[in-house]
């Protein structure tokens, strides 16, 4: 892995230019709006969804039902299992059924305890970023199945959320042909807003580089309006809902 | 180069479009599908007008304080490690992009759909310094191979049938590909994968930029925008200066309005929030991220009471699908980057060039369907009237039309900002209506009448009118290709079952 390019002279020049321009740009906007620059945070009386919506909450079983209906309507697959052992069995069965030759998993404890490598001796199972010198984007692109933990899920829109970190590649949920996402049911909320507000609360410095909401298989619809699946991202997507995600 | 720049008028371009039967039925099918999808999604979600109003308020508030929020965004994006640039004009934005490309020693750029980049004619500029620009949305890729321009904001290649597409892709593949969607899609996947992995730069637009965290948000179904922001080492985001929203909480409102209005989906397959380049220990994502904030005529709308709300537009395309005129003539007739009702207003507004675009505002029936469809309640139909008035004031209208406009300005003088455009439309129409049809070449509907008999504007309000327009659309004369109709009904069934569009 290479380190990010250190700002060189050229970037410093660009930045100086940009900072100077920023002032005239903002002054110009204020002038057009016919007032002085606004320099303190304005009161924003309409922040977020309408109030009635912020109270909307479904009980967990309804959430699961709604998530399942939405995710399946979008062309995704949903299975519900009791615990991690069952999740592992499901993944191993599917991988064998599809004759998966290469599997890429995010480097998370929950996923390593699935013991996929020993259960699938014929497949190459690799963990994201386990070797700093590897070109992980290319590995992901060659992989048949990518496996991730979902950070959150939203029932109302049927969406999974995955966030990036050194151990969690953005490519793992994107480049392989098949995506399997494990969703502990206690990570499932009713509305998008319940998840989004956490990013406001966390604040800029805590945000990961990539936050991705995924609501089904990759779809394009441009050949005579005929639906085409998986032109770019995974064409087959499983959400594996786990009731009890504890270690035992 | 767009048709408009080749010196054709809207009338000529529309005549071309009307002569193409496939285009007509494809546009009709697609717009109908999207329009109904939107309607169902809005109904299913419920309280749609409350959401529209909330969306409008958030956009109004942000634009009214744009200097604050844009500045906040720029500071936060820098703190995240992104390089922020400001461009007053298209030329400046192009110059910055080329400078970045040169410093990255780029040979190729992979792009995901961005209206802004079309505004800039960036592909040609990159080509001029020997950098290959590859459009990676399936539809955009197809029309790029055909060397054409998009005909719809959401579905750019609706004017191409599968045989034409197979022909284009076969040329690219160097072998004959069958006109089979799965085969064609498979070819594109393999081909574009190579391009993604080889590209030096990824380039995207930006649906929303979040001021408080300096993040940018992309909505898409295909995943190519994710590829573009994940795989190449350098990333460039082109962003209209008005794309700002204050917070992630506000994103919930936009995420509720945009996909439902665009395609009837509850959410696009992917919604991505990107906050800066990759962190030092991350193994993917760009090393270097540039955000180019572009004015290019947008600030002309600021402080203009008649047009400022144009900046609220979230580019969903709902007004296109709702517009009876667009449904008849398709996107190419409008000539600019933006088509349909939003294009009819935005194109001349961005260029502040009434002369070049003076006929485009006439390509509308002023029925108000665009306003009814708009998720942030932009009064496009009012704006079309303002535009015509300005054109007459600028001495660009002909005599007969100036006469027609007198009626408008009298009312304008009495009520500073008139709300009911249909009422005004009727003033200009009185003289020319016979048997409920407008046949004379006079008044705001001139031009349009020369090739189509337009139904008389109603005497009732456009809210009443709206339901009539709906009936009219269902009983429209040109028969739909049975194959197309079949696909439509299948899609409608699917939607009934799931509520997910497209
Ligand atoms: S004007 Fe309104 S309906 Fe038209 S594209 Fe913009 S937001 Fe959508």
């Amino acid at each position: 892995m290479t380190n990010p390019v250190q700002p060189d002279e050229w970037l410093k020049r660009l930045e100086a230019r940009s900072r100077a321009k920023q002032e005239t740009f903002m002054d110009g906007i204020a002038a057009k709006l016919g007032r002085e620059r606004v320099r303190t945070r304005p009161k924003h009386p309409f922040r977020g969804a309408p109030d009635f919506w912020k109270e909307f909450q479904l009980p967990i079983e309804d959430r699961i039902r709604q998530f399942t209906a939405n995710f399946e309507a979008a062309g995704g697959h949903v299975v519900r299992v009791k615990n991690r052992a069952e999740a592992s069995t499901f993944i191993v069965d599917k991988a064998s059924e599809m004759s998966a030759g290469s599997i890429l998993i995010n480097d998370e404890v929950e996923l390593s305890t699935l013991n996929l490598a020993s259960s699938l001796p014929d497949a190459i199972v690799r963990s994201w970023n386990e070797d700093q010198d590897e070109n992980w984007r290319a590995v992901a692109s060659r992989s048949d199945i990518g496996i991730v933990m979902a950070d959150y899920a939203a029932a109302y829109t049927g969406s999974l959320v995955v966030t990036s970190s050194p151990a969690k590649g953005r490519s793992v949920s994107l480049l392989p042909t098949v995506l399997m996402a494990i969703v502990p049911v206690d990570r499932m909320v009713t509305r998008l807003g319940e998840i989004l507000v956490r990013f406001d609360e966390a604040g800029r410095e805590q945000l990961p580089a990539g936050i991705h909401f995924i609501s089904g298989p990759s779809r394009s619809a441009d050949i005579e309006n005929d639906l085409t699946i998986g032109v770019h991202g995974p064409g087959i997507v499983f959400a594996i809902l786990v009731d009890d995600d504890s270690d035992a | 180069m767009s048709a408009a720049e080749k010196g054709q008028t809207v009338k000529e371009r529309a005549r071309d479009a009307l002569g193409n039967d496939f285009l007509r039925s494809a546009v009709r099918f697609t717009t109908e599908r999207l329009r109904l999808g939107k309607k169902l999604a809005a109904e299913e979600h419920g309280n749609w007008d409350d959401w529209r109003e909330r969306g409008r308020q958030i956009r109004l508030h942000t634009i009214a304080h744009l200097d604050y929020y844009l500045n906040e965004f720029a500071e936060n994006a820098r703190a995240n490690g992104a390089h922020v640039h400001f461009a007053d004009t298209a030329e400046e934005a192009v110059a910055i992009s080329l400078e970045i490309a040169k410093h990255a020693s780029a040979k190729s750029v992979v792009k995901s759909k961005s209206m802004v980049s079309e505004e800039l004619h960036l592909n040609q500029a990159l080509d001029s310094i020997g950098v290959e620009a590859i459009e990676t949305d399936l539809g955009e890729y197809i029309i790029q191979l055909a060397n054409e321009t998009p005909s719809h904001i959401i579905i750019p290649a609706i004017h191409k049938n599968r045989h034409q597409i197979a022909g284009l892709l076969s040329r690219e593949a160097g072998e004959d590909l069958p006109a089979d969607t799965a085969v064609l899609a498979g070819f594109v996947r393999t081909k574009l994968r190579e391009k993604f992995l080889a590209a030096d730069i990824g380039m995207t637009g930006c649906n929303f930029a979040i001021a408080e965290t300096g993040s940018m948000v992309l909505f898409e179904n295909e995943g190519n925008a994710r590829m573009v922001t994940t795989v190449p080492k350098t990333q460039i985001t082109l962003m209209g200066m008005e794309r700002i929203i204050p917070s992630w909480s506000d994103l919930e409102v936009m995420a509720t309005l945009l996909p439902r209005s665009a395609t009837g989906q509850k959410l696009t397959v992917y919604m991505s929030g990107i906050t800066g380049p990759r962190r030092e220990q991350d193994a993917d994502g760009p090393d270097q991220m540039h955000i180019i904030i572009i004015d290019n005529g947008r600030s002309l709308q600021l402080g203009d009471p008649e047009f400022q709300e144009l900046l609220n537009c979230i580019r969903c395309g709902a007004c296109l699908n709702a517009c009876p005129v667009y449904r008849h003539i398709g996107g190419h007739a409008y000539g600019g980057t933006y088509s349909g009702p939003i294009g009819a207003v935005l194109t001349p507004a961005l260029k502040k060039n009434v002369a070049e675009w003076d006929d485009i505002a006439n390509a509308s029936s002023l029925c108000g369907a665009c306003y009814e469809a708009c998720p942030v309640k932009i009064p496009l139909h009012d704006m079309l009237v303002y535009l015509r008035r300005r054109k007459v004031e600028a001495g660009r209208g002909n005599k007969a039309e100036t006469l027609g406009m007198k009626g408008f300005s009298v009312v304008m003088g009495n009520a500073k900002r008139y709300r009911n455009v249909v009422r005004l439309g009727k003033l200009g129409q009185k003289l020319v209506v016979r048997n409920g049809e407008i046949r004379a070449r006079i008044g705001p509907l001139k031009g349009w009448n020369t090739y189509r008999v337009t139904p008389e504007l109603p005497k009732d309000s456009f809210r009443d009118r709206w339901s009539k327009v709906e009936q009219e659309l269902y009983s429209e004369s040109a028969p739909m290709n049975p194959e197309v109709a079949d696909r439509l009904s299948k899609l409608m069934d699917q939607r009934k079952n799931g509520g997910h569009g497209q």
Side-chain angles (χ1 to χ4, degrees), chain A residues 58 69 199 210:
Chain A
L58 291 171
F199 303 136

Side-chain angles (χ1 to χ4, degrees), chain A:
Chain A
M1 189 177 82
T2 53
N3 280 317
V5 178
Q6 289 306 309
D8 60 9
E9 282 309 307
W10 167 67
L11 285 170
K12 281 200 194 118
R13 251 194 350 263
L14 280 186
E15 169 153 1
R17 208 163 76 194
S18 161
R19 285 203 180 269
K21 181 120 196 181
Q22 187 169 340
E23 284 309 299
T24 54
F25 210 84
M26 302 307 157
D27 289 347
I29 291 173
K32 285 260 169 42
L33 288 168
R35 53 162 175 71
E36 296 286 302
R37 284 272 298 274
V38 174
R39 293 189 190 270
T40 50
R41 178 183 298 281
K43 197 170 167 300
H44 176 12
F46 306 102
R47 189 179 173 105
D51 289 340
F52 66 85
W53 186 249
K54 290 180 185 159
E55 269 136 47
F56 176 45
Q57 288 282 355
L58 291 171
I60 181 68
E61 284 304 320
D62 290 357
R63 269 178 262 162
I64 290 170
R65 247 194 310 279
Q66 200 169 74
F67 175 89
T68 305
N70 285 326
F71 204 73
E72 287 180 349
H77 305 278
V78 181
V79 288
R80 187 172 177 184
V81 297
K82 283 204 192 61
N83 50 39
R84 232 182 267 164
E86 280 189 29
S88 177
T89 309
F90 175 82
I91 293 170
V92 169
D93 287 352
K94 275 289 160 206
S96 321
E97 185 185 320
M98 294 187 284
S99 326
S102 52
I103 296 173
L104 180 61
I105 62 177
N106 267 340
D107 194 6
E108 295 181 83
V109 250
E110 294 95 329
L111 295 176
S112 59
T113 58
L114 297 174
N115 295 320
L116 294 178
S118 54
S119 312
L120 290 164
D122 295 338
I124 303 166
V125 180
R126 301 191 68 182
S127 288
W128 179 257
N129 213 1
E130 65 190 354
D131 167 3
Q132 305 260 311
D133 295 323
E134 182 63 271
N135 178 350
W136 287 100
R137 298 163 170 102
V139 172
S141 193
R142 287 194 301 267
S143 296
D144 296 320
I145 303 180
I147 303 178
V148 302
M149 293 297 296
D151 295 85
Y152 311 101
Y156 190 74
T157 54
S159 313
L160 307 163
V161 185
V162 292
T163 58
S164 69
S165 76
K168 292 153 64 184
R170 287 143 80 165
S171 303
V172 183
S173 62
L174 180 64
L175 299 182
T177 315
V178 178
L179 169 63
M180 295 185 174
I182 296 185
V183 188
V185 293
D186 57 8
R187 297 186 188 181
M188 187 180 294
V189 298
T190 307
R191 294 170 286 112
L192 276 186
E194 292 170 72
I195 300 167
L196 294 170
V197 75
R198 295 178 202 212
F199 303 136
D200 280 333
E201 285 161 7
R204 181 189 70 70
E205 286 172 51
Q206 303 308 317
L207 293 187
I211 298 172
H212 302 282
F213 288 71
I214 303 174
S215 309
S218 151
R219 52 167 42 183
S220 315
D222 292 291
I223 299 182
E224 274 187 35
N225 285 299
D226 207 357
L227 192 60
T228 47
I229 295 287
V231 172
H232 293 291
I236 301 172
V237 181
F238 291 96
I240 303 165
L241 313 186
V242 183
D243 281 337
D244 174 11
D245 190 51
S246 58
D247 274 326

Side-chain angles (χ1 to χ4, degrees), chain B residues 313-319 342 374-376 378 380:
Chain B
C313 175
I314 59 173
R315 307 279 190 270
C316 70
C319 55
I342 180 64
C374 178
V376 289
I378 300 174
L380 288 166

Side-chain angles (χ1 to χ4, degrees), chain B residues 149-168:
Chain B
T149 53
S151 53
H152 190 285
I153 295 187
I154 305 295
I155 302 192
I158 53 177
H159 61 288
K160 287 257 168 277
N161 67 35
R162 75 179 62 224
H163 298 284
Q164 291 168 316
I165 292 170
L168 289 165

